C-alpha cells in the first residue's frame, strides 16, 4: 500500500499549516536579505567622500572608479538567471553575498594602496550584488505566491530601510572618526554572517520550476515560442526601458554623488554630507512603503508623472538652493520622487504575463545603462562645473521622464484561455516592483 494512504484527512490541514509556517519564515528571511543588500551598499556609499580624499582623485576619475561596480553588476545580472535555475535562490544568495562582502573587504584595505585595488574590489562587489539582487527577487516572488498577496513592494522598502541604516551608521562612523578600514570591514563581516544565515530559511528550491525553465528553453530552440529578442523591437517596451533609465540615472546620482555635492557645493562637514544622503534614502524608503496605495487609488501614469515632477523640483532645490534647510528639503523631494520609478517601470513591462520575462529583461537592460553611464557622466560634468551643479544632468532626464511615463499605462490582460502567470509578474497589481 502506498505510504501515508491511511492517514486521516486532518493531515492535509497539518501540511498546510507547516507550509504556511515555512512561508512566514521565508518572508522574514527575504526581508532580512533585502535589508542586508541595502545596508552594504549604503555603508560603501557613505564613505565615498573620504575615499575620494584619500585617493586624491578628481570627480572625473572618481566617476570611472564608481563605474567598476556597475560593470560588475551588468555582467552578473544577465547570467544570474541561468545560475539560479541550476542552483536555486538560497545557494545563489549565499555565494553572492559572500562575494560582495569579499569585494568590500578589498576596498576597505585596498584604498590605502591606490586606485587599482579599489577598482578591483568594486568590480567584485558589483558582481556579487548584481546576482544577489536577482536571486532575492526570485525568492520574493515565490514567497508572494505562497502568501497569496502582493508583498514585493514591501521587500523593496526593506532594501531602502537597509540603505537608511547603512547611511546613518556611516554618518556616525564619520562623526566619531572611525577609520574607513574598520568601518567597511565590520560591515562586510556583518553581511557575510547574517545574509547566508537568513538565506537558509528560504523556501526549498523547486525542481519543477527549474525543469519547466529548461523545458521552455528547449521549446525556444525548437521554434515553438517567439524569440525573446523580439521585445527589443516593441516600441512600448523600449519606451518603458528609457523611462526606467531616466529614473535609475537620477536614483544613482543621488546615491553616488549627493553627499559629495553637499560637501563641495555647500562647504559643509563630511558628516553633514552623509546626513543628506541618509535623508534622501529615508524619503525613498517612505515612498516605496506607501507609494503602492497611491498607484491603486490614482493609477500608474499619474503617480509616476507626479514622482518625476517632485524629483525634478527637489533636484533644482539642491542645485540652486543657498541654505542647508532648502537643500535638506530638496533631498526629501528627490527621494520621494525617485522611489517608484525604477521598480514600477519594470512592473509595467510585465503587464502581459505571456511575454513578461523578455520584456522585463529588455527594459531592465536599457535601464542598467544608467548605472554604466551615470558615474562617469556626472564626474565629467563635475570636473568642469562642480559636483553640485553637475546634478543638473539628471534634471534633463527627469524632464524626459515626465513624457516617457505614458508608456507605462496598463495594457489589456491576456486572453482568458492563456495560462495564469507565475508569481511576481502578473498584471493586476501595478504596485509590484521588479528590482532592489
Amino acid at each position: 500500500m502506498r505510504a501515508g494512504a491511511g492517514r486521516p484527512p486532518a493531515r492535509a490541514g497539518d501540511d498546510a499549516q507547516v507550509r504556511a509556517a515555512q512561508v512566514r519564515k521565508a518572508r522574514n528571511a527575504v526581508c532580512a536579505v533585502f535589508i542586508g543588500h541595502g545596508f552594504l551598499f549604503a555603508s560603501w556609499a557613505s564613505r565615498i567622500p573620504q575615499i575620494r580624499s584619500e585617493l586624491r582623485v578628481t570627480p572625473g576619475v572618481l566617476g570611472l572608479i564608481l563605474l567598476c561596480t556597475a560593470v560588475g553588476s551588468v555582467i552578473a545580472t544577465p547570467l544570474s538567471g541561468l545560475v539560479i535555475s541550476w542552483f536555486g535562490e538560497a545557494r545563489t544568495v549565499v555565494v553572492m553575498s559572500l562575494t560582495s562582502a569579499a569585494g568590500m573587504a578589498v576596498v576597505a584595505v585596498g584604498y590605502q594602496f591606490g586606485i587599482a585595488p579599489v577598482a578591483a574590489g568594486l568590480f567584485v562587489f558589483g558582481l556579487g550584488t548584481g546576482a544577489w539582487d536577482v536571486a532575492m527577487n526570485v525568492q520574493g516572488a515565490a514567497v508572494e505566491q505562497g502568501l497569496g498577496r502582493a508583498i514585493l513592494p514591501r521587500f523593496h522598502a526593506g532594501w531602502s530601510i537597509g540603505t537608511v541604516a547603512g547611511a546613518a551608521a556611516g554618518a556616525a562612523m564619520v562623526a566619531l572618526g572611525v577609520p574607513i578600514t574598520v568601518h567597511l570591514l565590520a560591515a562586510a563581516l556583518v553581511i557575510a554572517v547574517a545574509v547566508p544565515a537568513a538565506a537558509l530559511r528560504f523556501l526549498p528550491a523547486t525542481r519543477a520550476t527549474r525543469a519547466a525553465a529548461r523545458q521552455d528553453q528547449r521549446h525556444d530552440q525548437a521554434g515553438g515560442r517567439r524569440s525573446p529578442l523580439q521585445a527589443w523591437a516593441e516600441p512600448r517596451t523600449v519606451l518603458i526601458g528609457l523611462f526606467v533609465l531616466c529614473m535609475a540615472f537620477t536614483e544613482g546620482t543621488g546615491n553616488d554623488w549627493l553627499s559629495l555635492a553637499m560637501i563641495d557645493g555647500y562647504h559643509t562637514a563630511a558628516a553633514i554630507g552623509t546626513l543628506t544622503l541618509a535623508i534622501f534614502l529615508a524619503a525613498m524608503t517612505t515612498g516605496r512603503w506607501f507609494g503602492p496605495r497611491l498607484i491603486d487609488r490614482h493609477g500608474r501614469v499619474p503617480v509616476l508623472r507626479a514622482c518625476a515632477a517632485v524629483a525634478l523640483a527637489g533636484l533644482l532645490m539642491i542645485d540652486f538652493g543657498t541654505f542647508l534647510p532648502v537643500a535638506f528639503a530638496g533631498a526629501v523631494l528627490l527621494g520621494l520622487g525617485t522611489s517608484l520609478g525604477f521598480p514600477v517601470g519594470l512592473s509595467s513591462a510585465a503587464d502581459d504575463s505571456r511575454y513578461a520575462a523578455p520584456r522585463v529583461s529588455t527594459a531592465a537592460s536599457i535601464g542598467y545603462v544608467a548605472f554604466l553611464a551615470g558615474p562617469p557622466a556626472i564626474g565629467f560634468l563635475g570636473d568642469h562645473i562642480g559636483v553640485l551643479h553637475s546634478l543638473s544632468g539628471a534634471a534633463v532626464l527627469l524632464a524626459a521622464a515626465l513624457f516617457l511615463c505614458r508608456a507605462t499605462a496598463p495594457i489589456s490582460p491576456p486572453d482568458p484561455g492563456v495560462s495564469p502567470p507565475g508569481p511576481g509578474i502578473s498584471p493586476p497589481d501595478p504596485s509590484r516592483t521588479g528590482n532592489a
Side-chain angles (χ1 to χ4, degrees), residues 170-250:
M173 295 293 179
V174 172
L176 294 174
V178 176
I180 297 172
T181 300
V182 174
H183 175 202
L184 294 185
L185 282 179
L189 180 61
V190 168
I191 294 304
V193 173
V195 172
L200 295 178
R201 300 195 299 273
F202 277 10
L203 294 175
T206 56
R207 296 180 180 178
T209 299
R210 296 200 297 272
R214 290 193 291 270
Q215 183 68 24
D216 285 345
Q217 184 179 17
R218 287 193 291 268
H219 286 171
D220 290 342
Q221 294 171 349
R225 296 163 62 100
R226 75 172 200 162
S227 170
L229 295 178
Q230 291 184 21
W232 287 90
E234 298 172 353
R236 179 178 183 268
T237 302
V238 172
L239 289 175
I240 289 174
L242 292 175
F243 170 78
V244 169
L245 185 153
C246 293
M247 300 305 289
F249 188 98
T250 305

Side-chain angles (χ1 to χ4, degrees), residues 376-435:
I378 297 298
F380 175 79
L381 289 175
D383 282 343
H384 293 80
I385 61 176
V387 176
L388 179 62
H389 295 307
S390 71
L391 301 183
S392 60
V396 176
L397 294 182
L398 283 174
L402 287 170
F403 299 95
L404 290 170
C405 64
R406 294 182 59 187
T408 66
I411 59 176
S412 301
D415 296 333
V418 179
S419 300
I425 59 172
S426 56
D429 182 3
S431 67
R432 290 185 179 182
T433 57
N435 202 342

